[in-house]
Amino acid sequence: MGEDVWIIILAMVAGCLIGGAAWGLKRLIALVSRLSVGCADHFGWWTMLLLPLVGILLTGIFQRYILHREIYHGVDRLQDDFARGQSRLPVVLTFSPVLACALTLGFGGSAGSEGPIAYAGSAIGNNVGRLFGTTDRGLRAMMAIGAGAGIAGIFKAPVGGALFTLECLGIGSGPLTAIALFAGCVCAGLTALALSGFTPDIAVDTLAPFDWHLTLPLLALALFCGIYSAYYSRIMARMTSWFEGMRSPWRRNIVSGLIVGALLFIFPALFGEGYGVVGGIINGHPEAAVFRSPLALPALGLDPGVTLLAVCFGVMAVKAFATSATNSGGGVAGDFAPTLFAGAVCGYFFARMAGVLFGIDLPMGEFAVYGMAAVMAGAVKAPLMAMFIVTEMTATPSALLPAAIAAALSYVVASVLQPERR
């Protein structure tokens, strides 16, 4: 049996293991979140100011004194490993990013779980290959396959996971290795989907087919999201540089935890990955975005519609700050899911403002879905991955074409306004 064929078999085995790990990470985050939110309910919502600080401090201690290595910014570390020709990852990386991510997000860190599971998935794939005596070339292939399988499992998006390896990691491959990559991603996505009871992370009640009369508003949305993506990327870059300038890891942990806590207290929708809020926006329950926000207190006497728009605008403005503080201040989380959250809010805000300013009635749920693809494409610079992840994780294949249009235009606009630094 040739090595390429053998790697296909190993990729399927690793994909099943990684899909199980992705499902386990989701369950672990949910468990820690229930405990932390329960504490906030018991002691008072003001404790939300301290929960992210506790989570990031615990994550920092875990990295410095137990692992003796830094594992945050998992995707960036994978890119560095591939650039250096790394072919072996330690066994400890198969589970440590999962534990650290559960602490970060479970205590309110405003980010995603895809970076850690991609890093852990790469280590799982690599160590499965080592277990069966694969060559260094095969081990590097298994690292790439495992990373894509991690994305496929966490988003339940096999095609999106494979495109992550090709677009974000920039790893090309021969035909048989490409088959192994897709096989591993399919196994990971199906395993995570089966373990979760065949339910998507963002359940969409109904999504109307795209009306071609909405082409101009869709293009305007893509332009809006492209400009926002450039703003988002710039804030992320500047905040990351600011945190890297802090020599003391304790200072980074404390400052980042306090920043996230303050933002969560004003905008509770920023807690964790925010998929519940995204689902509410898409399914016609946008009030989920203002739940527990002090801006919605009756004592302020604000109109609910005005409050909702103000909260959405505020969330759009500060999401990059919350995510960069979570990921660059010592927390272990991902950068992709926050762009989906921000994109859903952008799409809803755009549709609402079109009605308020111009009297145009736009389908808000549909535009929230298109906004998810547009902002992910513009901020991550991966339009193919964005359009497939959004349609796969929401189980809305009918949205693929408008999502593709929005993602492509947003990517172009964001690339012009905020080009990647090589």
Side-chain angles (χ1 to χ4, degrees):
M1 185 184 297
E3 186 182 44
D4 285 338
V5 178
W6 178 236
I7 286 176
I8 294 175
I9 298 173
L10 293 183
M12 296 174 69
V13 173
C16 293
L17 295 175
I18 295 165
W23 172 80
L25 174 56
K26 290 284 189 182
R27 294 294 297 269
L28 195 55
I29 292 171
L31 174 61
V32 179
S33 296
R34 283 197 297 271
L35 294 174
S36 62
V37 173
C39 290
D41 289 335
H42 179 74
F43 293 105
W45 196 245
W46 64 269
T47 55
M48 188 56 66
L49 291 165
L50 301 177
L51 284 181
L53 175 60
V54 173
I56 291 176
L57 280 173
L58 289 175
T59 306
I61 291 170
F62 177 67
Q63 293 178 84
R64 288 192 294 276
Y65 300 108
I66 298 177
L67 292 181
H68 303 289
R69 65 167 61 224
E70 294 178 339
I71 56 173
Y72 58 89
H73 287 307
V75 173
D76 291 341
R77 294 183 186 280
L78 279 175
Q79 291 172 333
D80 291 341
D81 288 339
F82 284 114
R84 295 196 310 267
Q86 182 82 9
S87 62
R88 295 175 185 272
L89 295 177
V91 175
V92 69
L93 290 180
T94 62
F95 61 87
S96 56
V98 171
L99 299 178
C101 180
L103 288 174
T104 301
L105 297 185
F107 280 91
S110 187
S113 54
E114 64 286 339
I117 197 62
Y119 203 14
S122 185
I124 291 172
N126 181 258
N127 280 276
V128 166
R130 288 170 62 186
L131 182 65
F132 289 93
T134 309
T135 64
D136 283 351
R137 170 182 168 274
L139 292 178
R140 285 193 292 272
M142 290 299 295
M143 284 173 61
I145 291 166
I151 297 296
I154 208 69
F155 287 120
K156 302 171 187 173
V159 178
L163 291 173
F164 160 78
T165 297
L166 300 176
E167 278 190 301
C168 295
L169 297 182
I171 297 172
S173 57
L176 286 177
T177 308
I179 292 172
L181 170 62
F182 276 91
C185 289
V186 167
C187 288
L190 288 178
T191 299
L193 187 64
L195 290 173
S196 61
F198 294 95
T199 57
D201 288 330
I202 301 175
V204 178
D205 295 338
T206 56
L207 197 73
F210 181 68
D211 184 348
W212 286 102
H213 293 94
L214 298 176
T215 300
L216 287 179
L218 176 66
L219 296 178
L221 170 69
L223 177 62
F224 176 73
C225 289
I227 296 171
Y228 174 77
S229 298
Y231 160 80
Y232 183 97
S233 299
R234 183 164 300 179
I235 295 298
M236 289 285 290
R238 290 185 176 181
M239 288 288 289
T240 299
S241 298
W242 183 58
F243 277 109
E244 288 176 350
M246 297 182 187
R247 295 185 178 181
S248 170
W250 290 103
R251 183 184 176 191
R252 282 200 303 270
N253 295 164
I254 293 171
V255 171
S256 64
L258 292 177
I259 290 174
V260 178
L263 295 177
L264 282 187
F265 181 77
I266 301 171
F267 304 108
L270 296 173
F271 190 102
E273 294 177 295
Y275 288 159
V277 175
V278 173
I281 289 174
I282 294 174
N283 293 314
H285 303 288
E287 63 275 5
V290 300
F291 181 64
R292 282 179 165 168
S293 174
L295 299 179
L297 290 175
L300 296 179
L302 298 177
D303 179 82
V306 174
T307 301
L308 180 57
L309 284 175
V311 168
C312 288
F313 181 81
V315 165
M316 290 163 52
V318 305
K319 178 60 176 175
F321 290 93
T323 298
S324 57
T326 300
N327 289 337
S328 299
V332 176
D335 293 325
F336 295 170
T339 64
L340 296 174
F341 174 88
V345 177
C346 276
Y348 174 79
F349 181 81
F350 177 88
R352 279 292 300 269
M353 291 304 295
V356 171
L357 297 178
F358 307 108
I360 302 175
D361 186 19
L362 297 177
M364 299 178 192
E366 284 79 352
F367 269 62
V369 173
Y370 309 151
M372 292 168 67
V375 173
M376 176 180 258
V380 181
K381 302 295 192 295
L384 293 174
M385 180 186 75
M387 67 181 74
F388 278 101
I389 279 183
V390 168
T391 52
E392 285 181 293
M393 73 182 300
T394 57
T396 54
S398 62
L400 180 59
L401 185 55
I405 294 171
L409 181 55
S410 175
Y411 168 74
V412 172
V413 172
S415 297
V416 171
L417 297 177
Q418 182 71 9
E420 288 185 283
R421 292 180 172 83
R422 298 292 182 182

